[in-house]
């Protein structure tokens, strides 16, 4: 690791040559502060609720962002900005001419500037959506992989660094370290993280924050580490008599003690700064020669606020491996709240804001202005805007996905096994589509039936690697690694998987090359991945997540591996459809449909819940007539179909997924009692709910599926059953307002045989029959 500090520009602190970027930094500090101030102190607030914003968190990173955007960035680079610095990003975009002034008064207003940077909702250029701690910081890692893949496979993505501007408190998030230690990351030399080390969290000054520990952790992960500790003024003072003692004193004091010095007057600082150690007298003599403004400037002259120190750090980047620049900063730098332990979300008063305007030469009554075009600062902004201008991305429509390959399922199969077969079928029947598929898994490829696809498509790697088991006849799954391999295998970290899915699913908007990403993981771990996957969808990433195996069907593995609440994921997740097919043909139809929704401006993500339970495929009774088969396919996509019809049913059994076996068995037993039971198979509860909302005038979608599968003339008391929580299907009884009894899993499971576990949860055929008798009797 290296320790970068600025070289003094002049021998006397008071005569240090001003940096041309400092004037722009002062304007950005003012604008970012004014954006938050206007939202809270000027704009009418009819609700009385706090609007909020982060003036202090923005102030700490102003110099870093100004130096980066105004001098270092190129058009092909991408930047993830820490969430609380969104006002700084908007201020810089305004000075560069890419944000209209009218938006500067709309922070956190409906339709205005978002609370945190948003690719999909902000009106100015935003490379990565941030706001959920740890997710935005790691996104450029996955963006780097996605860019490399597109460039190697299709071309057009070019090169470019991927920057993350990270707050030090964000490093508490475990997802950050999961990403850093992934084996692919050390080979991604375009990744640069700049850590805003202000040593404060939301509530306090962090007492024991050790930068050396961070340096060691990044280095151990294979990263280059550059520490930017002190600025030009302090470095010059360190060269004077007593300077070594001054450096040691500042380095060795605790974070809270240093922060307290920032709140001192010059007189108090002369008393406190020397301390009581062996070098106290030497420090006292050194600072005695400094005037008050220089002394106050010196104590806060950290490297993250010094343009020369930051330039030196950028110049030292080694592009052969990832780089972490650890930049020491002061939270609230330049504001009246500077260094205060509780300044995280504190707001300047109107009096403080006006006083700040006087100090910076700004007009509080007219706070938003750009530099004159013919000024030195204006010329720097103009040149940066020209350098960062990006060409429009030509849109490319993904190749058309077939709707039905026409495979005839084998006698007995599981939906999980069908997944791998569909992918292989696409390589033969629709190679243009298959070429754009990228699968991702966390070390579960073989156990989720992707082995055949993996052998055919290969494994992605930044560089080509020899498969030493290629000639081993006992090796069934071949690990052929190359930059164009279509399967990406990560470590066992679901957050990494969905982070990568999000970036692979956004290539259509970044480089005009749509990919069709599919992530596969054990269904019980979907909830662990849900929040970052949801955030990826918010940022415009479209992907398919396959949870398999699922439910209490994992009977021998016990309750810890039995998923309960996942069926409602797609029902509740915006921009996402959820499906749980019962038969292999449904997997084909659903997967093809979902692939056709990816890689386009109006695209949608999907969640497929698959099972390892073998099911007799003949139970599907798929029509042989082409028109009837197509009608069944459309119904499967729309969310439900009638598996066994009755003209005048006395009870209706609605099942989802592998539970159709028990539902049909229950219907057969009811028939022996001369009770007519209709059986409906639900494939997508979310689609049915949307249809119901449409019928009620609360959604714009179609509602025809309700007329075909749940017609009022065949309404009957209902029993719903699924291998998951019963609430996912409980709403179905409201379609025709019939009595209902929802069956499902509501408690942690136990290990055992499938029969024992189904009986334990009350979803076996006996329980379905009993529920039908009860609900029929109550009608």
């Amino acid at each position: 690791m290296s320790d970068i500090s600025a070289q003094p520009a002049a021998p006397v602190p008071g005569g240090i040559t001003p940096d041309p970027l400092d004037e722009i930094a002062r304007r950005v500090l003012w604008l970012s502060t004014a954006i938050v101030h206007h939202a809270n102190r000027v704009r009418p607030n009819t609700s009385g609720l706090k609007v909020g914003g982060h003036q202090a968190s923005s102030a700490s990173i102003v110099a870093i962002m100004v130096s980066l955007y105004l001098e270092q960035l190129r058009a092909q680079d991408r930047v993830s900005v820490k969430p609380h610095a969104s006002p700084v990003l908007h201020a810089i975009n305004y000075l560069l001419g890419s944000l209209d002034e009218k938006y500067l008064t709309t922070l956190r207003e409906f339709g205005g500037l978002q609370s945190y940077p948003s690719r999909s909702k902000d009106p100015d250029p935003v490379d990565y959506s941030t706001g959920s701690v740890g997710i935005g910081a790691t996104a450029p890692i996955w963006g780097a992989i996605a860019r490399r893949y597109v460039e190697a496979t299709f071309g057009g993505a070019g090169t470019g660094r991927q920057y993350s501007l990270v707050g030090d408190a964000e490093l508490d998030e475990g997802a950050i370290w999961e990403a850093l230690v992934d084996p692919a990351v050390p080979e991604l030399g375009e990744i640069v993280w700049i850590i805003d080390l202000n040593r404060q969290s939301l509530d306090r000054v962090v007492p024991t924050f050790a930068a050396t520990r961070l340096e060691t952790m990044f280095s151990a992960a294979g990263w280059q580490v550059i520490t930017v500790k002190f600025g030009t003024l302090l470095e010059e003072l360190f060269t004077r008599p007593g300077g070594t003692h001054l450096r040691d004193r500042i380095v060795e004091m605790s974070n809270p003690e240093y922060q307290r010095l920032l709140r001192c007057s010059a007189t108090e600082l002369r008393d406190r700064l020397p301390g009581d150690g062996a070098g106290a007298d030497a420090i006292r003599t050194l600072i005695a020669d400094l005037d008050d403004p220089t002394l106050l400037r010196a104590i806060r002259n950290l490297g993250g606020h010094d343009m020369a120190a930051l330039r030196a750090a950028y110049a030292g980047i080694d592009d052969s491996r990832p780089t972490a620049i650890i930049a020491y900063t002061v939270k609230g730098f330049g504001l009246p709240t500077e260094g205060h332990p509780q300044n995280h979300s504190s707001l300047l008063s109107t009096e403080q804001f006006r006083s700040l305007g006087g100090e910076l030469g700004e007009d509080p009554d007219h706070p938003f202005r750009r530099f004159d075009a013919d000024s030195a600062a204006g010329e720097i902004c103009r040149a940066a805007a020209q350098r960062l201008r990006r060409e429009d991305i030509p849109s490319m429509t993904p190749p058309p996905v077939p709707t039905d390959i026409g495979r005839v399922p084998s006698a007995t199969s599981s939906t999980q096994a069908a997944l791998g077969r569909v992918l292989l079928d696409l390589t033969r029947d629709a190679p243009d589509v298959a070429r754009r598929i990228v699968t991702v898994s966390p070390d579960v490829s073989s156990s989720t039936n992707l082995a055949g696809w993996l052998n055919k498509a290969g494994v992605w790697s930044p560089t080509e690697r020899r498969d030493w088991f290629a000639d081993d006849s006992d090796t069934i799954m071949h690990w052929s690694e190359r930059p164009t391999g279509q399967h990406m295998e990560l470590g066992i970290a679901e957050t990494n998987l969905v982070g990568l899915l999000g970036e692979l699913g956004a290539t259509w908007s970044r480089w005009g090359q749509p990919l069709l990403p599919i992530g596969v993981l054990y269904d019980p771990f979907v909830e662990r991945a849900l929040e970052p996957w949801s955030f990826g969808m918010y940022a415009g990433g479209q992907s398919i997540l396959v949870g398999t195996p699922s439910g209490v069907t994992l009977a021998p593995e016990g309750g810890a591996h039995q998923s309960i609440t996942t069926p409602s994921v797609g029902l509740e997740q915006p921009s996402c459809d959820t499906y749980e097919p019962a038969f292999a043909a449904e997997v084909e139809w659903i997967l093809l449909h979902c692939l056709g929704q990816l890689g386009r401006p109006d695209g949608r993500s999907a969640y497929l819940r698959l099972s390892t339970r073998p099911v007799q495929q003949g139970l599907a009774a798929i029509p042989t007539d082409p028109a009837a088969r197509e009608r069944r396919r459309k119904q499967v996509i729309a969310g439900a179909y009638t598996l066994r019809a009755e003209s005048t049913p006395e009870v209706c059994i609605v099942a989802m997924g592998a539970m159709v076996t028990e539902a049909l068995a229950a219907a057969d037993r009811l028939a022996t009692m001369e009770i007519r039971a209709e059986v409906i198979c639900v494939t997508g509860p979310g689609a049915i709910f949307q249809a119901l909302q449409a019928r009620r005038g609360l959604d714009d979608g179609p509602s025809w599926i309700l007329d075909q599968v749940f017609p009022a003339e065949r309404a009957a008391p209902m029993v719903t059953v699924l291998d998951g929580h019963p609430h996912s299907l409980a709403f179905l009884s409201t379609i025709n307002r019939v009595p209902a009894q929802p069956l499902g899993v509501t408690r942690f499971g136990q290990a055992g045989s499938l029969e024992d576990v189904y009986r334990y949860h009350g979803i076996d055929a006996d329980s379905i029959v009993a529920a039908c008798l009860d609900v029929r009797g109550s009608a």
Side-chain angles (χ1 to χ4, degrees):
M1 70 191 70
S2 56
D3 192 333
I4 300 293
S5 297
Q7 297 301 314
V12 181
I16 290 176
T17 304
D19 194 289
L21 293 188
D22 284 337
E23 181 182 2
I24 299 175
R26 287 192 294 272
R27 178 65 58 83
V28 170
L29 174 65
W30 170 254
L31 288 171
S32 61
T33 305
I35 288 170
V36 179
H37 179 80
H38 188 281
N40 288 272
R41 307 289 193 198
V42 179
R43 192 171 69 216
N45 184 347
T46 56
S47 70
L49 297 174
K50 173 186 173 183
V51 176
H54 300 86
Q55 292 171 328
S57 293
S58 291
S60 70
I61 203 170
V62 163
I64 292 172
M65 291 184 64
V66 168
S67 67
L68 182 63
Y69 278 81
L70 274 296
E71 281 190 348
Q72 304 296 326
L73 281 186
R74 302 161 299 168
Q76 63 266 37
D77 298 334
R78 297 291 186 271
V79 185
S80 172
V81 177
K82 74 170 189 174
H84 296 155
S86 65
V88 180
L89 177 62
H90 298 312
I92 290 175
N93 281 337
Y94 168 65
L95 292 180
L96 297 182
S98 54
L99 180 66
D100 194 283
E101 181 179 337
K102 68 181 181 181
Y103 287 106
L104 301 184
T105 60
T106 67
L107 179 70
R108 302 189 175 205
E109 185 178 65
F110 186 83
L113 299 178
Q114 299 301 296
S115 307
Y116 310 114
S118 171
R119 275 194 84 217
S120 58
K121 296 183 181 296
D122 270 317
D124 53 334
V126 175
D127 291 332
Y128 289 100
S129 296
T130 60
S132 189
V133 172
I135 295 174
T138 59
I141 292 177
W142 318 123
I145 294 177
R147 185 204 60 75
R148 286 195 180 204
Y149 181 83
V150 169
E151 177 62 21
T153 308
F154 303 104
T159 59
R161 284 180 178 168
Q162 300 276 343
Y163 290 90
S164 286
L165 306 181
V166 186
D168 53 4
E170 197 166 5
L171 297 178
D172 290 343
E173 173 56 53
I176 291 223
W177 302 104
E178 287 183 348
L180 291 187
V181 300
D182 190 87
V185 173
E187 297 185 59
L188 305 176
E190 62 266 48
I191 296 172
V192 179
W193 282 25
I194 307 174
I195 298 159
D196 175 12
L197 193 76
N198 59 45
R199 291 156 293 171
Q200 282 188 239
S201 61
L202 190 150
D203 294 325
R204 60 175 182 161
V205 177
V206 180
T208 58
F209 201 102
T212 53
R213 179 166 61 93
L214 279 182
E215 294 167 353
T216 302
M217 293 169 73
F218 275 99
S219 294
W223 289 49
Q224 175 194 23
V225 179
I226 299 173
T227 301
V228 190
K229 190 170 292 186
F230 300 116
T232 305
L233 176 54
L234 270 178
E235 287 292 347
E236 196 283 328
L237 291 177
F238 295 155
T239 66
R240 295 185 173 198
T244 302
H245 294 293
L246 178 61
R247 175 190 278 271
D248 292 343
R249 168 76 172 121
I250 295 175
V251 169
E252 293 171 4
M253 70 174 59
S254 69
N255 292 334
E257 182 181 5
Y258 173 77
Q259 297 284 108
R260 181 63 184 89
L261 294 181
L262 300 174
R263 310 290 298 170
C264 290
S265 65
T267 300
E268 293 172 319
L269 189 57
R270 294 182 192 278
D271 179 58
R272 288 177 179 243
L273 179 57
D276 54 10
D281 290 340
I283 297 172
R284 193 172 289 110
T285 300
L286 171 59
I287 65 177
D289 293 336
L290 304 179
D291 58 34
D292 287 354
T294 301
L295 176 60
L296 291 172
R297 195 153 45 93
I299 193 60
R300 47 187 45 79
N301 182 226
L302 299 182
H305 303 300
D306 190 280
M307 298 300 177
L310 291 168
R311 279 192 199 96
Y314 296 128
I317 292 175
D318 174 8
D319 285 319
S320 68
R321 55 181 174 147
T323 297
I325 298 175
I326 300 176
Y328 280 68
T329 61
V330 173
K331 195 163 186 174
F333 184 77
L335 301 180
T337 57
E338 185 179 63
H340 194 281
Q342 282 84 50
N343 67 6
H344 178 79
S345 56
S346 63
L347 301 170
L348 268 61
S349 66
T350 300
E351 292 73 23
Q352 288 174 322
F353 179 72
R354 300 191 74 85
S355 176
L356 178 67
E359 294 173 13
L360 298 177
E362 302 287 352
D363 183 358
D365 296 319
H366 302 90
F368 306 121
R369 62 189 182 98
R370 294 188 174 100
F371 291 106
D372 293 336
D374 57 355
S375 67
E379 175 59 26
I380 292 174
C381 291
R382 186 201 63 77
Q386 185 174 9
R387 184 181 70 252
L388 297 177
R389 186 173 295 114
R390 296 170 182 165
E391 299 295 329
D392 292 337
I393 303 293
S395 60
M396 176 183 291
T397 303
V401 181
T403 58
D404 188 350
I405 294 174
R407 173 182 281 273
V408 178
S410 59
T412 303
S413 181
S414 70
T415 53
Q416 175 179 291
L419 171 68
R421 286 197 294 268
V422 175
L423 293 178
L424 286 176
D425 286 342
L426 281 171
T427 64
R428 295 185 293 267
D429 291 27
D432 289 344
V433 174
R435 186 167 178 254
R436 293 187 178 271
I437 291 175
V438 184
T439 56
V440 187
S441 72
D443 198 34
V444 293
S445 300
S446 57
S447 57
T448 53
N449 283 79
L450 289 185
W453 161 258
L454 190 149
N455 289 341
K456 181 79 172 180
V459 178
W460 179 84
S461 173
T463 56
E464 189 154 353
R465 294 172 179 161
R466 181 174 177 178
D467 180 8
W468 290 97
F469 288 87
D471 58 351
D472 186 340
S473 59
D474 291 332
T475 300
I476 299 176
M477 188 168 68
H478 296 287
W479 209 256
S480 175
E481 297 180 82
R482 57 185 184 271
T484 56
Q486 292 179 249
H487 177 74
M488 297 183 179
E489 184 112 339
L490 303 177
I492 305 176
E494 288 76 15
T495 298
N496 289 354
L497 178 138
V498 295
L500 179 54
L501 275 183
E503 290 307 315
L504 291 170
T507 59
W508 65 272
S509 61
R510 291 197 190 279
W511 300 290
Q513 287 287 355
L515 298 178
L516 310 177
I518 302 172
V520 179
L521 74 167
Y522 286 175
D523 193 69
F525 307 138
V526 166
E527 290 173 322
R528 190 184 303 175
L530 181 57
E531 193 260 342
W533 188 47
S534 175
F535 198 81
M537 284 184 259
Y538 169 80
Q542 302 161 12
S543 61
I544 297 172
L545 189 63
V546 179
T548 181
S550 64
V552 300
T553 300
L554 278 165
E557 298 199 32
H561 279 67
Q562 296 172 3
S563 52
I564 297 172
T565 62
T566 51
S568 65
V569 166
L571 191 63
E572 301 167 3
Q573 173 61 50
S575 302
C576 178
D577 300 318
T578 185
Y579 290 100
E580 185 168 348
F583 300 101
E586 295 168 18
V587 175
E588 176 186 307
W589 295 335
I590 289 169
L591 183 61
L592 295 176
H593 168 76
C594 294
L595 287 171
Q597 303 300 303
L598 303 179
R600 55 189 72 240
D602 60 345
R604 292 178 64 82
S605 294
Y607 164 55
L608 275 59
R609 191 173 188 253
L610 306 184
S611 174
T612 52
R613 184 188 178 188
V615 173
Q616 289 290 332
Q617 298 301 302
L619 296 176
I622 297 174
T624 56
D625 180 81
R629 178 185 174 99
E630 174 61 11
R631 182 175 186 268
R632 167 72 67 85
R633 186 195 68 82
K634 288 181 177 178
Q635 289 179 336
V636 166
I637 301 304
Y641 62 92
T642 303
L643 184 56
R644 182 175 297 179
E646 291 284 350
S647 57
T648 55
E650 297 175 75
V651 67
C652 178
I653 303 173
V654 181
M656 190 162 73
M659 298 309 304
V660 294
T661 298
E662 278 64 36
L664 290 170
D668 289 340
R669 288 171 54 181
L670 290 168
T672 65
M673 304 178 213
E674 299 185 350
I675 298 174
R676 298 181 300 278
E678 184 160 273
V679 179
I680 292 174
C681 182
V682 167
T683 55
I688 297 299
F689 182 76
Q690 288 177 331
L692 184 58
Q693 292 290 84
R695 172 180 283 183
R696 294 167 175 169
L698 300 175
D699 194 284
D700 295 330
S703 61
W704 59 265
I705 190 65
L706 302 181
D707 298 325
Q708 290 190 6
V709 181
F710 300 96
E713 62 271 19
R714 292 212 311 271
M718 182 178 290
V719 172
T720 62
V721 58
L722 73 155
D723 188 355
H725 199 284
H727 68 65
S728 299
L729 299 181
F731 73 93
L732 294 175
S733 64
T734 68
I735 296 174
N736 291 311
R737 296 180 174 84
V738 296
Q741 188 162 326
L743 304 180
V745 181
T746 58
R747 51 184 169 169
F748 290 115
Q750 294 190 25
S753 68
L754 193 61
E755 294 78 9
D756 289 339
V757 171
Y758 276 13
R759 188 179 305 110
Y760 173 76
H761 289 290
I763 56 176
D764 58 326
D766 284 348
S767 299
I768 297 173
V769 169
C772 288
L773 295 175
D774 288 344
V775 75
R776 177 174 174 266
S778 65

